[in-house]
Amino acid sequence: MFRHSLGYLIQWLHRKDRKPLLLRGARQVGKTWLARELARAEGVALMEVNFELRPEFKRAFDNLDPKAILQSLGFMGLNPPHGARALWLFDEIQECPQAVTALRYFFEQMPELPIAATGSLLEFALSQAQLSMPVGRVESLWLGPMTFHEFLYAEGRADLAEHLTNASPFASESVLAAEEAAKWLPSYFFCGGMPEAVKTWTEDHDTEAVGRAHLGLLQTYRQDFHKYAPRIKPSLAEALFLKAPALVGSRFKYSHVDATARAAEVRPAVEALEKAGVIRLVRHTSASGLPLALDENPKITKLMFIDVGLMHTALRFSPAWIGHADLLAVHRGAVAEQFVAQELLASVHLGEEPSLYFWARDALNSQAEVDFVIASGPRVIPIEVKAGATGSLKSLRSFLSSHPSTPFGIRLFTAAAAKHDDIYSLPLCYAGSLQQHVPRWATERIQ
């Protein structure tokens, strides 16, 4: 199974200034698999310390001295083969917060030793143990569901994935490539990018088996709610989790979770699920400059779910929708917006915590909203998502007129690529390639 992030990990392994690496993200997005694949690809021995399967490993971290830790792990049977280069993996590190603290001392005292760690719910584990992240002593890689490009690789269509990334969408040969790639979108919308679901789907394209995989993943997330305590009410976390798929793309209010609960009760549940990677808030920004967070309005947000495939299963969409012409129109076009959100999150530099922003103007008789805004170099680029081949671009043009330093806007829709003055219209399948194409277009426009 191909993951773009493997290349980043290989570079990390060979860097001289390497720090212990935390692979972060929601449960079941492939963090452990990625570390194992790194060891396999680079031919190093993987010393796997799984704190969930082998809780006795926690005892080795009663002492934070790296040499003492490795000696204790050796007593418990973890000894690298003689003469072999080893990669140490602290798996499910949130189960042993002391191990997070120990990463600092591995960096300071044994920087030559490559150490990776996987973790979900890290913030909650550290806060309960009254410990903090060793800032400056570790680096992080944020991992999400598999992208549409990675899905194409899994389906044996690496040619399409590479063309979408490397070739201009406006080249004549790109018309056919985009049409072929678009044929795979309905399958991705149904399957999503959770590795277990993708593996199940590519084996025999059994929609019922994929549905069972989705249900198992959804249940796994629900079982985590008690781990957020005592910071939140598990009942509110579960209510948000159950309602989130139906709220995708909409303006989010705490009353959506429980109309009778106080905001002070709901807010921690929202923060908890976002930190766990189960939901993602798209925050409002005036987009008057960079960074986008500088002009953020935390009171105005939209909500996205972890994965488009899980969203469909949670909403009980029938697999019969695969290939249906009106699939994108279902659920107010939220399918397209969820898809684009996932692609944009995955295209952020892997060493940066991803975030999403949108722009809106709510003035009387002058309302406008652009689904996403991204930063490209020193420029802000607005992105409008359309579930069909047509639709008004009034909001996009409104943004461009009120932000004169913005060189162009982007429409993602279901028709062929085209350029009209300061608006670039692209097929939806290019959502994950924007970070490759936009910087070049911005330079061309400015020149």
Side-chain angles (χ1 to χ4, degrees):
M1 192 172 290
F2 173 78
R3 299 299 302 263
H4 288 291
S5 45
L6 180 60
Y8 181 94
L9 281 179
I10 291 174
Q11 292 178 2
W12 165 82
L13 187 64
H14 292 283
R15 285 204 327 251
K16 292 183 179 179
D17 62 345
R18 177 188 61 233
K19 298 177 182 178
L21 181 66
L22 279 172
L23 300 174
R24 307 179 67 175
R27 285 190 180 275
Q28 303 297 318
V29 294
K31 300 185 293 296
T32 302
W33 178 90
L34 193 59
R36 291 170 179 168
E37 186 65 10
L38 171 64
R40 187 200 64 79
E42 291 298 294
V44 299
L46 182 66
M47 308 308 298
E48 194 165 333
V49 183
N50 189 309
F51 295 108
E52 195 168 69
L53 292 177
R54 298 279 302 276
E56 64 270 23
F57 285 149
K58 300 176 188 178
R59 296 177 59 191
F61 293 83
D62 291 340
N63 184 329
L64 294 178
D65 177 67
K67 292 182 179 179
I69 290 172
L70 294 180
Q71 185 178 50
S72 296
L73 291 173
F75 292 153
M76 289 184 276
L78 281 182
N79 289 295
H82 182 70
R85 189 183 183 195
L87 167 66
W88 285 83
L89 173 62
F90 297 164
D91 203 12
E92 303 293 351
I93 198 171
Q94 75 279 355
E95 299 293 331
C96 182
Q98 282 288 101
V100 180
T101 303
L103 294 178
R104 167 186 174 178
Y105 299 102
F106 274 101
F107 168 71
E108 294 176 349
Q109 300 177 30
M110 301 183 71
E112 74 284 358
L113 189 69
I115 297 180
T118 71
S120 307
L121 311 177
L122 274 176
E123 289 83 2
F124 307 107
L126 291 174
S127 64
Q128 290 182 25
Q130 296 184 334
L131 298 172
S132 60
M133 192 74 70
V135 179
R137 305 299 195 275
V138 300
E139 50 188 302
S140 295
L141 181 151
W142 276 268
L143 192 65
M146 294 175 67
T147 65
F148 178 57
H149 287 191
E150 292 169 335
F151 180 80
L152 288 174
Y153 274 96
E155 288 282 22
R157 297 309 310 264
D159 58 329
L160 293 177
E162 292 172 4
H163 189 92
L164 293 176
T165 300
N166 300 318
S168 169
F170 306 108
S172 58
E173 65 272 17
S174 295
V175 175
L176 180 59
E179 290 176 353
E180 287 298 309
K183 294 177 182 178
W184 293 96
L185 276 176
S187 295
Y188 181 78
F189 293 157
F190 165 74
C191 175
M194 301 303 288
E196 180 184 350
V198 174
K199 182 176 183 296
T200 300
W201 173 255
T202 55
E203 285 177 350
D204 52 19
H205 298 90
D206 184 341
T207 57
E208 292 187 1
V210 172
R212 289 192 295 270
H214 283 164
L215 289 172
L217 290 166
L218 291 169
Q219 186 60 34
T220 295
Y221 292 130
R222 291 181 68 177
Q223 290 171 349
D224 274 340
F225 295 149
H226 73 277
K227 296 182 180 180
Y228 304 147
R231 295 190 67 250
I232 67 168
K233 287 186 176 182
S235 60
L236 289 176
E238 183 166 13
L240 173 58
F241 181 74
L242 294 175
K243 294 180 180 180
L247 297 173
V248 165
S250 301
R251 294 283 185 97
F252 177 67
K253 298 179 180 179
Y254 291 153
S255 59
H256 290 151
V257 180
D258 187 334
T260 65
R262 294 179 294 110
E265 294 178 309
V266 179
R267 185 181 298 109
V270 176
E271 293 174 350
L273 265 65
E274 185 172 30
K275 286 180 179 179
V278 177
I279 64 169
R280 179 73 62 174
L281 293 181
V282 187
R283 291 171 168 81
H284 177 274
T285 177
S286 64
S288 58
L290 297 176
L292 292 168
L294 191 65
D295 298 316
E296 175 186 316
N297 184 345
K299 295 182 180 180
I300 305 176
T301 60
K302 297 192 299 183
L303 186 143
M304 298 294 162
F305 202 49
I306 178 176
D307 175 69
V308 66
L310 291 180
M311 182 184 87
H312 280 136
T313 296
L315 292 173
R316 300 182 182 179
F317 281 9
S318 169
W321 280 104
I322 296 178
H324 196 286
D326 294 329
L327 174 62
L328 286 174
V330 176
H331 192 34
R332 310 179 317 278
V335 174
E337 198 166 342
Q338 171 70 36
F339 167 71
V340 173
Q342 285 181 227
E343 296 290 287
L344 293 179
L345 286 169
S347 64
V348 174
H349 186 276
L350 293 171
E352 301 176 15
E353 185 172 7
S355 56
L356 290 173
Y357 296 93
F358 78 106
W359 173 84
R361 183 177 59 209
D362 294 328
L364 186 65
N365 299 324
S366 184
Q367 295 183 337
E369 182 174 312
V370 172
D371 297 312
F372 302 101
V373 288
I374 62 172
S376 180
R379 307 293 174 178
V380 177
I381 307 296
I383 301 172
E384 186 77 4
V385 181
K386 299 296 183 183
T390 60
S392 169
L393 296 177
K394 181 179 178 181
S395 292
L396 196 56
R397 295 192 184 283
S398 179
F399 181 97
L400 292 171
S401 65
S402 61
H403 295 72
S405 64
T406 295
F408 58 85
I410 294 175
R411 169 174 60 172
L412 293 171
F413 69 155
T414 59
K419 288 188 286 188
H420 297 95
D421 298 326
D422 53 359
I423 293 180
Y424 290 24
S425 297
L426 302 173
L428 277 169
C429 56
Y430 279 97
S433 306
L434 294 181
Q435 293 293 355
Q436 283 76 33
H437 297 301
V438 166
R440 182 178 70 254
W441 298 340
T443 301
E444 293 171 354
R445 298 284 300 199
I446 294 169
Q447 292 176 346

